[in-house]
Amino acid sequence: MEKKKPLSDIHVEDYLEEYAGREKTAADAFFTGGRETEALDGLWHYAADPYNTCLRQHWYEARGVNAAGFTLPLDFDFEGWPTMTLPCCWNTAAPEFFWYESTMVFTRRFRYLPKKAGERVFLRVGAANYALRVFLNGRYLGSHTGGSTPAFFELTEALQTENRILLTADASRRPRQVPPENTDWFNYGGVYRELELYRLPGTFIREFFVRLKPGSTDRLLISLRLSDPAEGEAVFSLPEKGVEASLPVSGGTAEAEIPCPVQLWTPEAPKLYDVALRFGEDRAEDRVGFRDIRTEGLQILLNGKPLFLRGVSCHEDAPERGKALTEEDCEQAILEAKALGCNFMRLAHYPHTEKMALLADRLGMLLWEEIPVYWAVRFSDGAVYAEAENQLSELILRDRNRASVILWSVGNENADTDERFSFMSRLAAAARERDGSRLITAACMVSADNRIADRLAEVLDVIGLNEYFGWYSPDLRQLPELFARSRPAKPVIISEFGADALFGHHGTAEDKGTVECQAEIYRRQTAELAKIPCVRGMTPWILYDFRCPRRTHPLQGYYNRKGLVDADRRRRKPAWYVLRDFYEKKKAEE
Ligand code: GCB
């Protein structure tokens, strides 16, 4: 990748070609629980680079002199660049980048001293939107695409004592990405989740999956996969129950079923157990709950008992931080949902930070997790499918030990075409194959003739249904009509209903955009939905107002105002109390 002669880059338009073929995917992910990390968070020098000059000119090689020893003029100066504290969304980090949706280059130095002979060192980036490229000491280590799932890069071969690391993060929206170009949320750019270094032994535990055997209450299933096809013995332990079981590992994998009566996890009593897995020099740990989730006819059963999912939808968006949520932000959202009477949250429309599921495990909140197969994804394109499936795999690998997560959603509001049917059926099958301990869903749309007729429902366990009666479809009488005309044989979750209302904007229930109108729609929606036996839950749209460039009406001000709570995450609108009262009644009926 050496720059041949001066200005040689200016006539090259396929400059990205040399960076192809080094994509990091779910196959590079590894289990992170219980491992020591060294943070690479903190101050990084940065430059906005909308023309991708870093990639075109190979800035990461940092060549200050030519072969003859003459000093070269440079278009960059790493140490002279300003600094930004990562992780963050650059849109909220500096006012001049609020609308910026292109490439940013980040670089810093760090010191490395080996701790153990033969150790391997990896960088995990919790999330960077959308295409991330990593360079260490002038060498290209690879790329990752997908704006909401973690990326893993091995640094070992390129490490020195003093290191220069450089990242490029390209937040461009593109039609062949997942999500595609057009979404109803703000496209925050940045390396916005933790940057961490991991030191692992030569052979390490790549996957560690522990769950209750579906349908049982006293048998655990353990799966493990190592980094190499090694042979040997792994040891699984669950100290609180005195379990220490040895697992024969063959070809780098092991599967075991272990008798172990446990106290089941529920939202009301979110019991967690410490578990650990050892292989050779490596050890992984987690804190997990055990629960059974399945459907029977029109019911959703948690640990064998019918359950009504009193939910709310949620985006990842805080006014001062965008998507770079802190643990406090996550806890605030879960506690707000609890105050509303919820036992369930839909984390729309992309994988949220793993902090959410970790907290939900601890605090007792059921979760729906989703990948951004949103609206008009290019369903006919094989590469787009691969991208979607990879994001799904990365999410499942990340969160499958979380008892709180009961549903994987393979997408939202997609037109019911043949191509979409085959694309999303494949995703549903992939999710099922990777994880048989959860239910599969997707947020479908009401058909043009007001029925639940989406063909995708055939392959889902639970039908998610977005309906906006009273709002986009203004006639609320069509809601009972919808259910009179549809006889789904599976449980339905109303994955969205709602109405925009600006906090403090008053008027009559007929005036769109007023809090009275929103509250009235919530009153009528909940009253109707309560009568429908197949409706086993709901996640109205949405907990908090969120940024949205498509929303330019003065009442919106570039926000989607369907929040039950204002974007300040404090001020509750009247519809909040309507939903709270409805959920209290539902809870009392249980
Ligand atoms: C929907 C979408 C969601 C939007 C919402 C709205 O159906 O799934 O992403 O934000 O409607 O407010 O229009």
Side-chain angles (χ1 to χ4, degrees):
M1 283 203 218
E2 200 167 316
K3 213 167 113 185
K4 296 284 181 301
K5 54 182 194 322
L7 300 178
S8 62
D9 61 285
I10 63 174
H11 297 141
V12 180
E13 272 310 311
D14 53 5
Y15 65 96
L16 284 178
E17 268 175 19
E18 65 178 303
Y19 301 103
R22 307 277 294 277
E23 293 80 15
K24 303 295 172 188
T25 65
D28 298 284
F30 58 80
F31 186 83
T32 54
R35 299 184 185 284
E36 248 181 61
T37 64
E38 291 148 71
L40 269 194
D41 296 345
L43 289 181
W44 288 63
H45 292 278
Y46 74 91
D49 184 22
Y51 294 8
N52 278 326
T53 313
C54 173
L55 300 178
R56 293 171 188 268
Q57 291 188 350
H58 300 183
W59 290 352
Y60 45 84
E61 288 173 356
R63 286 176 192 277
V65 286
N66 73 4
F70 287 101
T71 309
L72 295 167
L74 297 178
D75 292 328
F76 62 91
D77 175 2
F78 297 149
E79 297 299 313
W81 285 351
T83 54
M84 198 181 272
T85 303
L86 297 187
C88 76
C89 294
W90 60 61
N91 319 75
T92 51
E96 64 272 33
F97 297 125
F98 185 75
W99 290 109
Y100 187 66
E101 293 192 277
S102 186
T103 299
M104 194 77 83
V105 184
F106 297 99
T107 184
R108 62 168 276 177
R109 294 192 289 209
F110 70 96
R111 197 143 216 262
Y112 164 71
L113 295 172
K115 284 190 180 161
K116 277 194 187 161
E119 73 184 10
R120 295 170 70 177
V121 182
F122 293 83
L123 168 69
R124 179 187 193 261
V125 180
N129 188 28
Y130 179 90
L132 172 71
R133 291 188 173 83
V134 176
F135 302 85
L136 183 63
N137 300 324
R139 280 166 67 173
Y140 177 49
L141 299 185
S143 65
H144 178 266
T145 53
S148 313
T149 44
F152 295 80
F153 300 86
E154 180 155 18
L155 310 188
T156 318
E157 298 288 302
L159 272 173
Q160 304 163 4
T161 307
E162 301 297 337
N163 297 278
R164 157 132 346 254
I165 187 165
L166 182 145
L167 314 175
T168 64
D170 180 357
S172 306
R173 287 173 295 112
R174 296 199 165 92
R176 292 194 150 75
Q177 291 183 167
V178 182
E181 206 172 351
N182 186 30
T183 66
D184 197 47
W185 68 84
F186 192 88
N187 181 39
Y188 286 107
V191 177
Y192 66 93
R193 290 187 196 143
E194 289 69 13
L195 295 126
E196 298 163 318
L197 293 182
Y198 289 80
R199 297 172 192 248
L200 301 177
T203 296
F204 59 87
I205 298 165
R206 195 177 272 293
E207 294 182 23
F208 175 27
F209 183 18
V210 48
R211 68 278 188 203
L212 194 66
K213 183 180 180 184
S216 85
T217 56
D218 60 355
R219 301 193 79 76
L220 310 185
L221 297 179
I222 321 292
S223 310
L224 87 93
R225 204 163 71 77
L226 303 176
S227 54
D228 306 287
E231 309 290 314
E233 190 177 87
V235 178
F236 168 78
S237 58
L238 194 155
E240 194 177 325
K241 288 280 166 186
V243 170
E244 174 124 341
S246 107
L247 279 54
V249 178
S250 159
T253 65
E255 299 282 337
E257 184 175 325
I258 293 170
C260 179
V262 283
Q263 180 189 327
L264 297 180
W265 185 97
T266 65
E268 298 74 33
K271 170 69 187 163
L272 299 176
Y273 293 93
D274 287 322
V275 294
L277 185 71
R278 290 199 311 272
F279 181 86
E281 290 171 71
D282 200 17
R283 179 183 166 91
E285 292 169 11
D286 212 344
R287 195 161 165 71
V288 299
F290 299 101
R291 53 98 192 98
D292 184 59
I293 189 84
R294 67 201 141 92
T295 64
E296 203 174 270
L298 297 179
Q299 301 279 8
I300 299 173
L301 305 179
L302 178 68
N303 301 328
K305 287 202 212 101
L307 173 74
F308 186 86
L309 293 165
R310 304 184 307 270
V312 69
S313 295
C314 197
H315 258 297
E316 193 171 50
D317 192 354
E320 325 76 37
R321 280 180 287 283
K323 285 170 67 65
L325 299 191
T326 61
E327 178 133 351
E328 292 71 42
D329 295 327
C330 296
E331 185 160 349
Q332 182 191 26
I334 294 176
L335 295 181
E336 185 67 30
K338 278 196 171 251
L340 198 50
C342 294
N343 57 8
F344 180 53
M345 293 173 82
R346 174 183 180 206
L347 305 185
H349 285 295
Y350 41 73
H352 289 211
T353 165
E354 62 255 51
K355 290 180 206 128
M356 276 303 275
L358 286 162
L359 275 167
D361 265 16
R362 260 182 30 218
L363 300 173
M365 181 63 73
L366 297 161
L367 295 180
W368 156 318
E369 294 199 341
E370 184 162 312
I371 52 167
V373 175
Y374 185 86
W375 288 353
V377 160
R378 292 282 170 103
F379 292 111
S380 56
D381 188 322
V384 175
Y385 177 79
E387 174 75 23
E389 189 183 308
N390 185 56
Q391 290 186 33
L392 177 71
S393 303
E394 289 177 337
L395 172 62
I396 293 177
L397 285 171
R398 197 193 70 178
D399 283 358
R400 64 185 173 173
N401 280 355
R402 304 280 72 83
S404 51
V405 180
I406 52 168
L407 285 153
W408 299 126
S409 166
V410 294
N412 179 79
E413 277 192 358
N414 319 96
D416 186 7
T417 62
D418 290 349
E419 282 154 344
R420 175 274 196 160
F421 179 72
S422 96
F423 186 110
M424 291 181 72
S425 308
R426 269 178 84 190
L427 284 179
R432 232 181 274 289
E433 187 197 309
R434 282 162 186 61
D435 176 11
S437 64
R438 288 182 175 79
L439 304 173
I440 311 299
T441 192
C444 302
M445 297 171 79
V446 175
S447 69
D449 60 351
N450 197 23
R451 286 184 308 125
I452 303 175
D454 191 322
R455 284 177 290 166
L456 192 66
E458 281 168 35
V459 303
L460 304 175
D461 298 309
V462 174
I463 305 169
L465 189 72
N466 294 355
E467 51 88 0
Y468 277 92
F469 294 109
W471 190 250
Y472 296 122
S473 316
D475 185 357
L476 246 159
R477 288 170 309 185
Q478 288 181 337
L479 179 56
E481 194 182 293
L482 163 73
F483 286 99
R485 298 158 63 107
S486 318
R487 290 271 168 270
K490 297 177 179 183
V492 173
I493 294 175
I494 301 298
S495 34
E496 292 181 28
F497 72 80
D500 282 82
L502 177 64
F503 178 85
H505 182 60
H506 295 283
T508 71
E510 303 306 312
D511 295 339
K512 295 277 190 256
T514 63
V515 291
E516 286 75 15
C517 174
Q518 185 191 39
E520 179 63 9
I521 289 172
Y522 268 74
R523 236 172 258 123
R524 294 185 57 190
Q525 280 272 359
T526 50
E528 280 307 327
L529 293 172
K531 299 181 204 156
I532 315 294
C534 67
V535 172
R536 300 309 305 151
M538 57 178 75
T539 50
W541 195 252
I542 187 170
L543 185 57
Y544 300 120
D545 289 350
F546 58 97
R547 283 204 176 96
C548 188
R550 297 170 68 245
R551 309 290 182 170
T552 65
H553 189 285
L555 287 178
Q556 298 168 316
Y558 302 99
Y559 276 83
N560 184 312
R561 297 282 180 199
K562 294 192 185 68
L564 292 163
V565 181
D566 185 78
D568 69 3
R569 296 181 152 229
R570 289 188 301 107
R571 295 179 299 177
R572 296 169 177 166
K573 304 177 192 174
W576 190 97
Y577 298 93
V578 175
L579 188 64
R580 196 261 326 258
D581 292 350
F582 173 70
Y583 283 164
E584 270 182 4
K585 260 203 340 244
K586 284 304 274 184
K587 213 174 354 180
E589 283 165 22
E590 271 170 15

